[in-house]
Amino acid sequence: MNVFKRVVWVCAAVSLSACGAPEESPAQESLGEQDSALTTSTFGGCTFTVSYTTIAPPYPPVYVASLTRQASGTCPYPAATVELGRSYNTPSLNVLGTAVGLSVGFSIKSGISGSSPTVCLFRHIDPATLGTIREAFVGANFGAGSVYGCRLDQTDAGTTLVGYGTKTGALPGEVGNKPNWVATYVNFFTSTTPAVYYTY
């Protein structure tokens, strides 16, 4: 995790008013664009991968996001795949195993209309059943805009889940409409504590 992101996430986790929004620069924006999606991760001796397939026709195509658990000598469970959701645009996909739990992040555009918003979903996944233990939603107010990226990281030895990306609409409680967002979920795997949002 680079220093720029660490500063942003400390601000988000401690207080929205404790830190001023950092100055944006072309270099910082470039770093954000270059962050590669984490599509494979390990948890409990198992390897998990997120991917998507395309169904076409119909047109426009439908993208089906899936989570796959691979069989191995270290994994106590067999190979399996579960569908995460379907989208009318190419989904952003992340999977992250921490010391505490397994999570996925993905984007969904559920409507065919060009004005239909894209939202992010973060899920705590049961590694044995691939079922959802907890789901958290990030979307613009009243569907007036979209959120993208849906990337994952962790703090506090993996107990706090951090999602981040870009957006075109204001998030709940946001004054103005800044282009980048961070959602910090304290004790994501053991509570239902809502996100603290930070935008810049």
Side-chain angles (χ1 to χ4, degrees), residues 1-10 12-13 31-32 34-41 93-106 120-124 134 149-165 181-189 195-196 200:
M1 174 188 317
N2 61 44
V3 174
F4 172 66
K5 282 187 189 149
R6 189 173 293 120
V7 169
V8 171
W9 293 340
V10 168
L31 283 174
Q34 291 173 10
D35 281 336
S36 61
L38 182 62
T39 56
T40 299
S41 190
L93 295 169
N94 274 217
V95 59
L96 179 65
T98 76
V100 182
L102 176 70
S103 62
V104 294
F106 59 100
C120 283
L121 296 174
F122 298 114
R123 290 180 182 168
H124 176 194
R134 176 188 179 182
C150 310
R151 296 184 175 99
L152 292 173
D153 214 313
Q154 58 179 308
T155 62
D156 303 332
T159 63
T160 293
L161 187 72
V162 178
Y164 64 103
W181 61 273
V182 178
T184 301
Y185 299 91
V186 177
N187 297 323
F188 180 80
F189 301 101
V196 174
Y200 61 98

Side-chain angles (χ1 to χ4, degrees), residues 61-63 86-92 107-109 111 116-118 148:
V62 176
Y63 300 89
R86 299 188 175 201
S87 177
Y88 281 102
N89 61 8
T90 306
S92 299
S107 65
I108 290 289
K109 177 181 169 66
S116 177
T118 297
Y148 305 101

Side-chain angles (χ1 to χ4, degrees), residues 7-181:
V7 169
V8 171
W9 293 340
V10 168
C11 291
V14 176
S15 170
L16 294 180
S17 60
C19 303
E23 292 284 333
E24 290 183 45
S25 72
Q28 291 167 350
E29 291 172 1
S30 177
L31 283 174
E33 292 296 324
Q34 291 173 10
D35 281 336
S36 61
L38 182 62
T39 56
T40 299
S41 190
T42 59
F43 180 77
C46 304
T47 298
F48 298 87
T49 302
V50 284
S51 60
Y52 69 85
T53 56
T54 305
I55 301 175
Y59 294 102
V62 176
Y63 300 89
V64 181
S66 299
L67 171 68
T68 297
R69 182 182 61 221
Q70 300 174 20
S72 72
T74 61
C75 184
Y77 313 113
T81 298
V82 64
E83 182 179 315
L84 298 172
R86 299 188 175 201
S87 177
Y88 281 102
N89 61 8
T90 306
S92 299
L93 295 169
N94 274 217
V95 59
L96 179 65
T98 76
V100 182
L102 176 70
S103 62
V104 294
F106 59 100
S107 65
I108 290 289
K109 177 181 169 66
S110 59
I112 197 170
S113 167
S115 62
S116 177
T118 297
V119 301
C120 283
L121 296 174
F122 298 114
R123 290 180 182 168
H124 176 194
I125 299 294
D126 183 329
T129 66
L130 301 186
T132 299
I133 299 172
R134 176 188 179 182
E135 181 174 88
F137 166 90
V138 180
N141 282 332
F142 313 111
S146 291
V147 293
Y148 305 101
C150 310
R151 296 184 175 99
L152 292 173
D153 214 313
Q154 58 179 308
T155 62
D156 303 332
T159 63
T160 293
L161 187 72
V162 178
Y164 64 103
T166 60
K167 63 186 183 64
T168 62
L171 296 181
E174 181 183 8
V175 177
N177 182 9
K178 297 170 185 174
N180 304 286
W181 61 273

